[in-house]
Amino acid sequence: MNIVTLETERLILRPFNENDLDAFFRIYSDKKVNQFLPWYPVQTKEEAKQFYEKRYAHSKDYRYAICLKEDNIPIGYVNVSMNESHDFGYGLLEAYWRQGIVSEACRAVLAQLKKEGLRYITATHDVRNPHSGYVMKSIGMSYNILMKNNGSLKISWFNLECISTILMKGITLSIKNTGRCMRIISLKKMYNDIIQKGCI
């Protein structure tokens, strides 16, 4: 994936590289940053290197390092998968929480995705992590459903400017579109898959 470096008032958003290993380790070894994410925090720099090589080095997804302009050292990340769900996620070291940094980074990434023609994104957060939901709401995402995933309750969101509603299995899904017509059949398939796996 050829990721365009982005800048905001305070931030540089760019790909991680091998020179970021120390910062990468700090982010992915932090228990608070990774508490509600589907992986265990890495324990060593070697594990961090393996994690980087597996998920970042040759990824086809959008994977941005969040860096302050003053030093260009990663303090967090914003990721968007390029599979059908276009799952949107982010993390930030605790020292930088509640300063609007993640929201600022996410808005810049979403603006770039829209320029590149991505039609929608989805995101979830654990019900025990409401601050993540505040970020999703602040960048224009809309609450949709409550689902169960591996024993944990997750809140699902879609990003949208135009809102459509479909009914499926008694569940109402408010679907947001970033500007173009959305492939509703694609989302129906995604949620049918979730239902079949017993997540809802």
Side-chain angles (χ1 to χ4, degrees):
M1 172 68 68
N2 185 22
I3 295 178
V4 176
T5 296
L6 307 174
E7 291 193 21
T8 68
E9 182 179 352
R10 296 180 290 176
L11 307 173
I12 295 172
L13 306 169
R14 60 167 177 81
F16 283 95
N17 59 61
E18 292 182 352
N19 295 326
D20 295 323
L21 186 58
D22 287 344
F24 191 86
F25 174 68
R26 282 195 297 273
I27 295 165
Y28 279 101
S29 65
D30 189 299
K31 291 182 179 180
K32 288 189 175 181
V33 173
N34 298 279
Q35 182 177 0
F36 301 109
L37 299 177
W39 50 72
Y40 293 102
V42 298
Q43 301 295 318
T44 65
K45 285 188 179 181
E46 181 58 33
E47 284 185 18
K49 183 178 180 181
Q50 292 174 5
F51 191 85
Y52 166 80
E53 290 174 349
K54 180 179 179 180
R55 291 181 175 263
Y56 282 81
H58 306 291
S59 177
K60 296 181 180 179
D61 300 330
Y62 289 89
R63 296 188 177 275
Y64 284 94
I66 301 174
C67 309
L68 295 175
K69 281 186 173 179
E70 59 197 50
D71 57 19
N72 198 24
I73 296 174
I75 59 173
Y77 59 84
V78 178
N79 296 332
V80 184
S81 71
M82 290 308 293
N83 60 22
E84 190 175 42
S85 70
H86 297 313
D87 185 59
F88 187 77
Y90 40 80
L92 187 72
L93 291 172
E94 184 182 10
Y96 303 95
W97 289 359
R98 297 177 180 82
Q99 298 177 40
I101 290 174
V102 165
S103 295
E104 183 176 329
C106 289
R107 280 192 288 267
V109 171
L110 288 182
Q112 182 63 29
L113 295 179
K114 189 172 181 180
K115 284 182 183 178
E116 296 184 18
L118 192 67
R119 296 179 179 182
Y120 63 89
I121 61 169
T122 68
T124 60
H125 72 86
D126 194 289
V127 294
R128 296 167 295 172
N129 186 22
H131 290 288
S132 187
Y134 300 156
V135 171
M136 294 173 191
K137 185 175 181 180
S138 77
I139 62 174
M141 300 191 79
S142 177
Y143 167 76
N144 285 272
I145 59 173
L146 186 68
M147 64 182 182
K148 193 172 184 179
N149 183 16
N150 295 327
S152 297
L153 288 175
K154 302 283 185 179
I155 296 176
S156 179
W157 299 69
F158 284 88
N159 184 58
L160 261 186
E161 290 172 357
C162 306
I163 299 179
S164 303
T165 301
I166 60 175
L167 296 176
M168 183 174 59
K169 302 277 187 178
I171 299 169
T172 301
L173 307 178
S174 299
I175 301 173
K176 287 195 167 187
N177 192 329
T178 55
R180 298 185 181 182
C181 294
M182 187 184 298
R183 292 181 302 147
I184 297 298
I185 185 66
S186 173
L187 288 172
K188 283 184 178 180
K189 179 183 181 300
M190 182 176 72
Y191 273 90
N192 277 331
D193 290 345
I194 293 172
I195 290 167
Q196 289 171 6
K197 292 176 182 177
C199 295
I200 297 178

